[in-house]
Amino acid sequence: MKLTTTRTVKEARGFLYEFLNDGTVAVVGGNPGLVGKQEIPSHFEGYPVVKIGRGAFSSSHLTEIIIPSTVEEICDGAFYWNTLLTEVRISTGVSVIGDRAFAACPNIKTISFPPSLKSVGELAFHKCINLSKVNFNNGLETIGDFAFGGCPALKQVLIPESVTEIGKSVFFDCERLMSISLPESFLKLSDGLFYKCTSLENISLPEKLEIIGQWAFKDCTNLTTITIPGFVYDIGTQAFDGCTSLTEISVLPVNSHYNTWKGALFSNDMKKMFRCPEGIKGSYEIPEGVERVKKGAFDNCSKLTSVSIPLSLKEIKGSAFYGCSKLSKITVKSSNTFFTTNDDMLFSKDMTKLIRCLGSKRKKIEIPESVTEIDEFAFAGCAKLETVKIPESVNVIGENAFEGCIGLINISLPDSLTEISSRLFFGCKNLVSVRLPSNLVKIGDHAFDGCKQLKHISIPSTVKQIGHWAFSGCQCLQQAEEVDSSGDSDRPAGSSIFES
């Protein structure tokens, strides 16, 4: 037997009310004539109004709203997409503001929270594009993901000491945010917290901070310096990527996990190099004792011209130098037993692995016969490169190896190669033709994504797997002879390799 519940909804003075099971009332909407400035009644038929219901005034024509002290919760989407709403007065009593409660209200300029407020939901004020000032009160405990994301007019924020949790990307794309004060007891900066806060110039991190999430300061283009506190033990990937003005990452001496040298971030024992700030100019000498340079360590250091590799270094990837458009020289200590350079290229000592090509202005490159592996990102961003001769000795080419080689017109891959790795030719927008290896087994995800001029490709019968979006964005591709996705093929039948 199917049980049904009925809602008891009544209307009075333009407001719609619903009686709740605990003897209280929620305002769940208003009739079409409810416009302009309105004050929500504190009681209805003698019962207290404790909630503003889910989507109650979404897309309405209110210009100003006054919320009484009896209300405890503003539910999800309660005032979502109110394009005329300019002022909101929230009385003491409200403890919860739900997800998207005031999202996409473009004319709200300021908001003050009462001391009773404990929680601000996800996307609560997302895309409130004219919100310039937020007044928090002590008592607030949590702020949800993207709560103030996309609020470009927001300039200054003071977060009270009572806050214990701030969600992901809370201030994402707040492009005018210049200063923010965080609680000293705060332990974690969430992922993407200040992503694209392009006006943020400096920030004092809390003394007890332990974790800086991935992308926490990504694309903060005006951030010049930052100091890592003593208790930080985890800094996420790309935490400072896109900080083009950052010239120094300093670390307090008491920190037992991280260290710094000439502005760059290292492990405490100075054996691992994590990040060189993107604003560093000229040359950089990796200090003696460093054994590993981590992936992306020099990413987009566009003002860097040369790097010196010490005797101690044992590991470095081609991806470490992605986006270093002015890097023209890498020197290796002659006594280093792991690396060598030859003709503007960084190799393993035995010349079997090509790690990175520095010839950003070179049009033609011939890879030595000794090479068996081309590292990931090895030629990425070599915009003037037109032709590459790859010997038959090469049997491995890493992901993104030719990404962004916009001058590359045609290429012949050796028959020794059995796999085209993911994003291998991503964004090679002038690539017209490719000769695939006769023994090819796999074409990776996005392998030719964005190759706008690619017109024809013959896929050998040996191919068993074609990755997702392998040929996405290949607008001129007229013919692709691909194997039937049956038998032992790993590609699901009917999936498109041309999806975009």
Side-chain angles (χ1 to χ4, degrees):
M1 183 175 68
K2 186 178 179 180
L3 296 176
T4 59
T5 58
T6 58
R7 297 175 63 195
T8 304
V9 177
K10 292 185 177 182
E11 180 183 352
R13 293 186 177 180
F15 290 100
L16 301 177
Y17 300 91
E18 179 181 356
F19 289 93
L20 306 177
N21 293 331
D22 61 356
T24 59
V25 174
V27 173
V28 294
N31 64 36
L34 197 69
V35 297
K37 178 180 178 180
Q38 297 292 334
E39 180 173 358
I40 294 175
S42 60
H43 290 77
F44 177 68
E45 294 186 355
Y47 297 98
V49 174
V50 298
K51 282 186 180 182
I52 300 174
R54 182 186 179 94
F57 300 101
S58 176
S59 304
S60 72
H61 293 86
L62 298 174
T63 58
E64 184 177 341
I65 191 75
I66 301 170
I67 299 169
S69 59
T70 54
V71 171
E72 299 171 0
E73 181 180 358
I74 301 172
C75 295
D76 297 352
F79 296 93
Y80 174 71
W81 203 15
N82 257 276
T83 58
L84 300 179
L85 191 62
T86 59
E87 187 173 352
V88 179
R89 298 187 212 172
I90 305 174
S91 300
T92 298
V94 172
S95 61
V96 176
I97 294 177
D99 299 346
R100 294 183 175 85
F102 294 93
C105 292
N107 287 305
I108 296 178
K109 294 182 179 179
T110 64
I111 191 84
S112 294
F113 295 132
S116 57
L117 188 67
K118 301 294 182 186
S119 173
V120 176
E122 296 180 8
L123 298 150
F125 294 89
H126 185 245
K127 293 288 184 181
C128 289
I129 58 174
N130 282 303
L131 183 64
S132 60
K133 188 176 182 182
V134 178
N135 296 315
F136 294 100
N137 265 299
N138 207 38
L140 184 66
E141 296 174 357
T142 62
I143 303 174
D145 298 350
F146 289 92
F148 297 94
C151 295
L154 194 61
K155 295 180 180 179
Q156 184 176 356
V157 175
L158 174 63
I159 297 176
E161 290 291 329
S162 57
V163 173
T164 57
E165 182 181 346
I166 300 179
K168 297 176 182 178
S169 302
V170 166
F171 299 104
F172 170 73
D173 205 16
C174 291
E175 60 184 41
R176 294 182 192 171
L177 185 65
M178 298 182 66
S179 66
I180 185 162
S181 177
L182 298 169
E184 281 302 317
S185 58
F186 208 59
L187 301 179
K188 179 181 179 180
L189 296 187
S190 59
D191 296 349
L193 183 57
F194 300 107
Y195 190 170
K196 284 194 173 182
C197 290
T198 54
S199 295
L200 190 66
E201 295 181 359
N202 56 70
I203 185 170
S204 178
L205 299 182
E207 181 182 353
K208 296 183 179 180
L209 189 69
E210 296 178 350
I211 298 171
I212 297 175
Q214 59 183 349
W215 318 304
F217 295 95
K218 185 174 172 63
D219 292 347
C220 290
T221 53
N222 274 303
L223 189 66
T224 55
T225 62
I226 195 160
T227 300
I228 310 299
F231 293 101
V232 172
Y233 66 85
D234 185 7
I235 299 177
T237 57
Q238 300 183 10
F240 305 106
D241 276 25
C243 296
T244 53
S245 299
L246 187 65
T247 57
E248 182 179 11
I249 302 171
S250 60
V251 179
L252 290 183
V254 293
N255 191 295
S256 60
H257 295 275
Y258 294 100
N259 210 331
T260 187
W261 193 82
K262 289 190 175 181
L265 185 67
F266 295 83
S267 60
N268 184 261
D269 59 7
M270 293 295 292
K271 290 185 177 182
K272 297 177 185 176
M273 181 178 184
F274 293 114
R275 194 64 169 106
C276 179
E278 292 180 22
I280 279 188
K281 300 178 182 179
S283 60
Y284 192 89
E285 181 181 357
I286 300 172
E288 195 61 59
V290 175
E291 296 179 355
R292 290 175 176 81
V293 173
K294 304 298 283 185
K295 184 174 181 178
F298 291 94
D299 260 11
N300 296 306
C301 290
S302 59
K303 301 166 190 172
L304 194 66
T305 56
S306 66
V307 173
S308 177
I309 291 177
L311 165 66
S312 57
L313 196 68
K314 300 177 181 179
E315 180 183 314
I316 192 167
K317 303 289 285 182
S319 57
F321 301 106
Y322 179 73
C324 296
S325 55
K326 291 185 179 178
L327 183 64
S328 58
K329 185 178 182 182
I330 294 179
T331 58
V332 181
K333 290 285 180 68
S334 58
S335 49
N336 184 294
T337 58
F338 293 91
F339 305 102
T340 188
T341 56
N342 182 42
D343 199 18
D344 293 332
M345 289 184 275
L346 177 67
F347 295 89
S348 58
K349 191 71 173 182
D350 60 5
M351 294 283 289
T352 60
K353 184 176 184 178
L354 194 165
I355 299 167
R356 180 67 187 175
C357 174
L358 304 179
S360 59
K361 296 181 180 179
R362 293 176 63 178
K363 293 184 177 181
K364 297 180 180 180
I365 288 177
E366 184 172 343
I367 297 172
E369 294 283 346
S370 61
V371 174
T372 60
E373 179 180 355
I374 297 173
D375 203 5
E376 60 182 27
F377 291 91
F379 294 92
C382 291
K384 304 236 172 149
L385 187 63
E386 293 179 0
T387 60
V388 181
K389 186 177 180 181
I390 304 174
E392 286 295 327
S393 57
V394 173
N395 53 52
V396 175
I397 302 179
E399 295 182 358
N400 306 77
F402 295 97
E403 178 181 328
C405 292
I406 58 176
L408 195 62
I409 298 170
N410 54 67
I411 193 166
S412 178
L413 299 174
D415 288 331
S416 53
L417 199 66
T418 59
E419 177 180 344
I420 294 178
S421 59
S422 297
R423 301 169 68 94
L424 182 59
F425 297 101
F426 184 87
C428 293
K429 63 181 183 180
N430 289 306
L431 186 65
V432 175
S433 65
V434 180
R435 179 200 172 273
L436 298 183
S438 59
N439 298 313
L440 191 65
V441 175
K442 178 182 177 181
I443 299 175
D445 296 344
H446 300 277
F448 296 93
D449 194 340
C451 295
K452 297 179 180 180
Q453 298 301 318
L454 190 62
K455 294 180 180 179
H456 175 82
I457 193 162
S458 296
I459 301 175
S461 59
T462 52
V463 172
K464 295 181 180 180
Q465 182 177 351
I466 299 176
H468 293 296
W469 307 288
F471 298 95
S472 175
C474 295
Q475 301 167 356
C476 294
L477 192 60
Q478 298 170 353
Q479 185 178 2
E481 302 167 10
E482 63 169 307
V483 294
D484 185 9
S485 56
S486 57
D488 56 358
S489 173
D490 295 324
R491 189 166 64 86
S495 68
S496 175
I497 60 175
F498 302 102
E499 290 181 57
S500 58

